[in-house]
Amino acid sequence: MESKWDVYKLNQLVSIVRGASPRPIREYITTDVDGVNWIKIGDVKPDSKYITETKEKITIEGAKKSRFVKKGDFILSNSMSFGRPYIMEIEGCIHDGWLLLSDFTKNLNKDYLYNILSDKIVQEQFISAASGGTSVDNLNIDKVAYTQIPLPPLDIQQKIVAEIEVLEAKEKRAREEVEGLKLKTKEIFESINSLNKVSLEDISENLDNLRKPVTKGYREKGEIPYYGASGIIDYVSNYILDDFVLLVSEDGANLKARTSPIAFTVNGKIWVNNHAHILKFRDKATHKLVEIYLNKTDISEYITGQAQPKLNQQNLNAIKIPLPPLAKQQKIVSQIEKIEAQIALLEGQIGVIPQEKEAVLRAYL
């Protein structure tokens, strides 16, 4: 590793030990208020820096067979989503899926350590060490111990931390603004939910009869987007439709997971397979209102199948949509589009924060 500062192995700066689990664990889980916090991977959010609570506790006897961690200690996941550091804001016990970092050397700022452990400088070392030729990627004490850390003087560490904290405050404000804007969107829909609802088939024309699935090996390459349940999956040389339409997922896990939109607007020449419904509306405001409504509303009552969720045409047509007069539709769509533009801008700012943090570290190290 190249750095203008001395580089140390991590075990020269902190003590590293593995967690331990009393077994069988179910015999040590307790609801007693005097139980000891039992820290599991599921207790932490991906973007969290601190661990502040746990869902379960273990008995005092169980704690004697585990590894106790104190407030201010670091824990590091050593399997699954390995290498992610967290700072303890509570006391508790950790199982053997965690490593404990404690007894920090005096010339090490804890917040600097957190940032350097989270950065590519260290994460890439973790990835390389974890792969290790086995079928399951994991980190053990030895692999983590030999991780290299550049260590500038304490005053430089503090400057790094201060600049990163400015970025974190900016990110926090942006996330709060996003949540506030999403709440506004929710309130807009709640304001029309009391209106009389109409079936989707009464306000749209279903064009599913135009769909044509083509096996990948028989598709002729081109520049026309070929759509499936969740968006573009290929490009072909011909089209089945040249129009402004709304595509709605017919099947797939995303109908329940909702990690991406289930309804999306397409405009122009397209080819659509049999995994997405095609809807056409008379008014663009109605089109957009339906798109937003489907993406923000729980429609699980219309979905069949557990292992293979499906929204068939009959159920799609039956979905009830609150539909105010056209003028109000246009006003609502305008409001929501402005909100979505603001959210996109804020999420863009949030998205570059990791690169900005990385740039701070690179500038000093």
Side-chain angles (χ1 to χ4, degrees):
M1 173 184 292
E2 293 184 9
S3 175
K4 64 181 75 172
W5 311 109
D6 290 338
V7 175
Y8 292 81
K9 293 174 184 175
L10 187 55
N11 66 351
Q12 293 177 290
L13 305 175
V14 301
S15 168
I16 308 169
V17 292
R18 191 179 182 185
S21 183
R23 290 183 171 85
I25 184 60
R26 63 181 177 276
E27 294 184 6
Y28 296 95
I29 298 295
T30 181
T31 56
D32 194 316
V33 292
D34 294 325
V36 180
N37 289 318
W38 181 235
I39 301 147
K40 299 186 297 183
I41 299 289
D43 292 323
V44 296
K45 297 176 183 177
D47 296 325
S48 295
K49 180 177 180 179
Y50 301 100
I51 293 179
T52 58
E53 60 182 354
T54 63
K55 296 182 182 70
E56 293 182 330
K57 294 177 182 288
I58 58 171
T59 62
I60 300 298
E61 192 61 33
K64 292 176 182 177
K65 300 179 179 183
S66 183
R67 178 76 64 182
F68 191 74
V69 295
K70 304 188 297 294
K71 192 173 180 178
D73 285 345
F74 281 41
I75 60 173
L76 197 74
S77 51
N78 64 23
S79 60
M80 303 297 286
S81 55
F82 61 84
R84 178 74 169 86
Y86 300 94
I87 302 176
M88 296 302 305
E89 282 209 332
I90 56 172
E91 294 183 338
C93 285
I94 56 172
H95 55 67
D96 49 14
W98 296 103
L99 296 177
L100 167 62
L101 278 58
S102 60
D103 300 327
F104 307 91
T105 184
K106 291 181 180 179
N107 60 342
L108 179 64
N109 179 298
K110 284 188 181 180
D111 287 310
Y112 168 76
L113 176 62
Y114 175 83
N115 286 306
I116 200 71
L117 289 177
S118 303
D119 187 78
K120 282 199 299 187
I121 291 172
V122 168
Q123 288 295 311
E124 288 178 353
Q125 293 182 66
F126 283 164
I127 291 168
S128 176
S131 58
T134 62
S135 59
V136 179
D137 291 347
N138 64 81
L139 291 170
N140 58 33
I141 293 174
D142 290 338
K143 291 174 180 178
V144 172
Y146 286 95
T147 300
Q148 294 184 315
I149 305 286
L151 192 69
L154 274 171
D155 62 323
I156 300 297
Q157 293 179 47
Q158 186 53 51
K159 286 180 180 178
I160 291 170
V161 169
E163 290 192 26
I164 288 177
E165 284 178 345
V166 169
L167 293 172
E168 288 175 340
K170 176 183 173 183
E171 180 180 9
K172 184 172 182 272
R173 287 193 301 271
R175 290 189 185 278
E176 288 171 350
E177 285 186 57
V178 167
E179 289 308 307
L181 290 166
K182 287 181 178 179
L183 183 59
K184 279 187 181 179
T185 301
K186 182 180 178 183
E187 289 169 350
I188 290 171
F189 276 108
E190 286 176 349
S191 72
I192 65 169
N193 247 336
S194 58
L195 298 174
N196 288 332
K197 296 184 178 181
V198 297
S199 297
L200 197 48
E201 66 179 339
D202 294 331
I203 57 173
S204 66
E205 179 186 0
N206 190 294
L207 302 178
D208 284 0
N209 61 302
L210 299 177
R211 302 182 304 178
K212 286 184 182 179
V214 181
T215 304
K216 187 171 184 179
Y218 291 95
R219 295 177 205 152
E220 188 176 321
K221 291 291 182 183
E223 298 181 354
I224 307 296
Y226 180 95
Y227 284 90
S230 297
I232 298 172
I233 58 174
D234 205 351
Y235 288 88
V236 294
S237 63
N238 207 344
Y239 60 95
I240 59 169
L241 187 64
D242 184 0
D243 209 339
F244 183 85
V245 293
L246 183 68
L247 301 187
V248 182
S249 304
E250 178 168 337
D251 49 30
N254 188 54
L255 279 171
K256 290 194 171 181
R258 305 298 286 269
T259 55
S260 60
I262 63 167
F264 41 97
T265 295
V266 296
N267 188 21
K269 295 176 180 178
I270 59 169
W271 193 294
V272 184
N273 69 15
N274 59 341
H275 296 287
H277 298 290
I278 309 172
L279 299 179
K280 183 171 175 61
F281 298 83
R282 184 173 61 186
D283 299 296
K284 286 190 176 182
T286 306
H287 170 123
K288 185 63 179 177
L289 185 68
V290 170
E291 178 183 4
I292 298 168
Y293 187 82
L294 290 177
N295 285 325
K296 295 188 180 298
T297 305
D298 180 6
I299 60 165
S300 55
E301 63 181 294
Y302 299 98
I303 296 169
T304 59
Q306 292 298 322
Q308 296 179 322
K310 186 176 182 67
L311 176 62
N312 61 40
Q313 188 182 113
Q314 182 180 354
N315 287 349
L316 173 71
N317 289 339
I319 294 175
K320 299 293 185 182
I321 307 288
L323 199 69
L326 185 58
K328 188 166 184 180
Q329 291 178 45
Q330 292 168 336
K331 182 179 179 182
I332 289 170
V333 167
S334 176
Q335 288 176 314
I336 292 175
E337 285 181 335
K338 286 177 182 176
I339 290 172
E340 289 181 339
Q342 289 176 281
I343 290 174
L345 181 63
L346 289 165
E347 288 180 338
Q349 293 172 4
I350 293 167
V352 299
I353 294 291
Q355 289 77 33
E356 291 177 342
K357 287 182 180 179
E358 187 179 328
V360 170
L361 286 164
R362 296 298 179 277
Y364 281 101
L365 300 180

